Amino acid sequence: MRELWQHRGQRRPDFAIAPGADQESVWDYPRPPRLVPDRRPVEIRVGEVLIAQTSHAARVLETASPPTFYIPRADVRMELLRPAGGNSFCEWKGRAGYFDVRNGEAWIAQAAWTYEQPFDAFAEIAGHIGFYPGRVACWVDGERVRPQPGGFYGGWVTNEIVGPFKGETGTGAW
């Protein structure tokens, strides 16, 4: 499995699920987060419509959260996205702007986001697009992604990731 960083050599908390041989624990991910390339095939769909497809994604790994995948803009059908209102701020990446994603004649509100001018540590994802797997269908290496619990988070839960995850019931104090 991929090399993971454990925060200052500490072991994962007792409540964390121990990962199997081909799994990662979100409790082994770093804080501050780290950006790593991911060359597995990634697809984003709305119904039968392919929105994005890449084998050049970047994953953000952060303690307690499933990875968030960012897709190069060149691999996204940008004609199916339109700028949406609002923005948010991440202490690690900077200010994010949002996109609505076309669903036939309708639009899925704020289903994607981007960091146009991220902080230096995340410069590699400038202009890349992140998608909420609770709003559009996301796939990694043929596996349908499940959304991270909680309405705001954009983490991608797959069978290789174990938690518990930030956003689940009872995690408000994390």
Side-chain angles (χ1 to χ4, degrees):
M1 204 82 247
R2 292 170 205 78
E3 174 187 332
L4 299 178
W5 177 93
Q6 289 191 330
H7 184 64
R8 297 188 182 145
Q10 297 175 1
R11 61 184 193 86
R12 73 181 65 90
D14 290 338
F15 61 81
I17 298 168
D22 291 328
Q23 292 182 314
E24 299 174 357
S25 170
V26 298
W27 294 97
D28 293 336
Y29 291 166
R31 187 163 179 85
R34 186 175 74 185
L35 185 64
V36 296
D38 196 305
R39 300 301 174 235
R40 294 176 293 174
V42 172
E43 288 187 357
I44 311 298
R45 293 183 174 275
V46 173
E48 296 300 315
V49 177
L50 182 66
I51 304 295
Q53 184 174 34
T54 193
S55 59
H56 293 92
R59 291 191 315 159
V60 172
L61 307 180
E62 181 176 2
T63 304
S65 291
T68 303
F69 282 69
Y70 289 86
I71 299 170
R73 192 176 293 245
D75 295 336
V76 177
R77 294 182 56 198
M78 292 303 295
E79 74 274 13
L80 300 176
L81 278 63
R82 71 175 182 196
N87 62 67
S88 59
F89 184 79
C90 171
E91 66 182 307
W92 310 112
K93 295 181 287 298
R95 185 152 315 279
Y98 292 87
F99 291 102
D100 298 334
V101 176
R102 183 178 292 282
N103 181 9
E105 295 302 313
W107 292 88
I108 303 168
Q110 295 187 335
W113 72 95
T114 188
Y115 291 93
E116 291 298 321
Q117 298 178 334
F119 296 144
D120 290 346
F122 289 89
E124 184 181 322
I125 63 166
H128 282 50
I129 311 295
F131 290 88
Y132 286 103
R135 300 178 190 173
V136 294
C138 303
W139 302 82
V140 175
D141 203 18
E143 180 183 350
R144 174 79 185 259
V145 173
R146 300 173 304 280
Q148 178 177 2
F152 179 75
Y153 302 111
W156 292 29
V157 180
T158 59
N159 292 333
E160 74 177 342
I161 307 300
V162 296
F165 309 122
K166 182 176 185 177
E168 291 178 345
T169 302
T171 65
W174 290 359

